[in-house]
Amino acid sequence: KTKPTISAGTASPAANANGWNNTNVTVTFSCSDPGGSGAVSATDVKTLSSEGANQSATGTCTDKAGNSNSATKSGISIDKTKPTVVYSGNLGTYAVDATVNITCTASDTGGSTLASSTCANITGLGSSFGPGPHTFSATATDKAGNTASASTTFTVGVTVAALCNQLKQWVQASAAYQKLKPAQKAIADLAWNAACQAAAKLPPLTPAQKQTALKVLKIAVDVLVAGGYLTPAQAQAIMNMAALL
């Protein structure tokens, strides 16, 4: 008449430090029969394959006399779905004076929620990244240990108009320029205009002529640096851009 005994069960694989699994979980229940007739089976095995938090599995043991007993293993959480990493707003190509504004979004739909993410928005003027292609990547991991990655690439291009606009913005935003009176600002504007005129001659020139024009541009840029209208880093950025025209 005595019911068999059954343990609460052992889950395999064990959950991670966050209490989640990212694979199927097998629960093994151990059976024994103190009544004397003997258990029909020494174990009962249940496998959980569905995603979800705090799931449970129930095992049953029956002895040869027909007595049965059950036990439940609870607290099993499964998330097999990788998180998502998405870049949005990438226009592909930007001028040096254009604003790059790319959003990175990481999310988890499997249920465990995110544990970590390197996702970061990409913002700034094209000139802050420098001419040429630029690739950014991000990785996200959920609490079940699933990982996903994504990347995005854009190219910063150089045109005479964009270079001149960037040069104008930097000069007119400088503290030295802001302190000038209107008549003095007009004189300072002549300096960056002279630099633009030198840059405008670059595209159709032969290599030798281009080097001469770059030297002229360098003189104009150095004048702006000496006056405090450009930082050395900005001046170098202008020269790097001009070299690509």
Side-chain angles (χ1 to χ4, degrees):
K1 299 178 182 181
T2 304
K3 291 182 178 182
T5 59
I6 180 170
S7 70
T10 301
S12 178
N16 65 14
N18 296 315
W20 284 83
N21 288 86
N22 57 16
T23 63
N24 293 347
V25 176
T26 299
V27 182
T28 302
F29 299 88
S30 298
C31 305
S32 61
D33 178 53
S37 64
V40 174
S41 175
T43 58
D44 188 14
V45 178
K46 294 290 188 295
T47 298
L48 297 178
S49 59
S50 299
E51 292 184 310
N54 296 316
Q55 300 182 69
S56 60
T58 299
T60 302
C61 285
T62 303
D63 64 20
K64 294 178 180 178
N67 303 298
S68 64
N69 201 3
S70 299
T72 299
K73 177 71 172 181
S74 58
I76 300 170
S77 298
I78 300 174
D79 175 3
K80 303 177 185 178
T81 303
K82 291 182 179 181
T84 58
V85 179
V86 178
Y87 285 99
S88 56
N90 186 352
L91 300 181
T93 302
Y94 299 85
V96 290
D97 62 333
T99 299
V100 179
N101 189 11
I102 301 172
T103 301
C104 184
T105 304
S107 59
D108 177 65
T109 59
S112 64
T113 71
L114 291 178
S116 64
S117 171
T118 61
C119 209
N121 295 337
I122 306 164
T123 59
L125 285 175
S127 58
S128 67
F129 300 95
H134 301 274
T135 299
F136 290 81
S137 300
T139 299
T141 302
D142 64 23
K143 292 182 179 178
N146 302 299
T147 299
S149 299
S151 63
T152 190
T153 299
F154 61 89
T155 300
V156 176
V158 181
T159 64
V160 172
L163 186 151
C164 287
N165 188 45
Q166 179 63 84
L167 180 58
K168 175 184 176 181
Q169 289 178 11
W170 278 340
V171 169
Q172 295 187 346
S174 67
Y177 186 91
Q178 294 299 317
K179 293 177 182 178
L180 299 178
K181 294 179 180 179
Q184 294 171 317
K185 287 182 178 179
I187 296 173
D189 287 340
L190 292 176
W192 67 258
N193 267 306
C196 279
Q197 290 172 12
K201 297 178 182 179
L202 289 168
L205 300 181
T206 66
Q209 291 171 327
K210 183 175 181 179
Q211 290 305 311
T212 300
L214 284 172
K215 290 178 181 179
V216 174
L217 175 61
K218 180 73 164 54
I219 292 172
V221 168
D222 286 345
V223 169
L224 292 169
V225 173
Y229 305 112
L230 285 180
T231 67
Q234 289 171 338
Q236 186 58 55
I238 291 295
M239 295 306 299
N240 290 345
M241 295 177 208
L244 297 176
L245 289 172

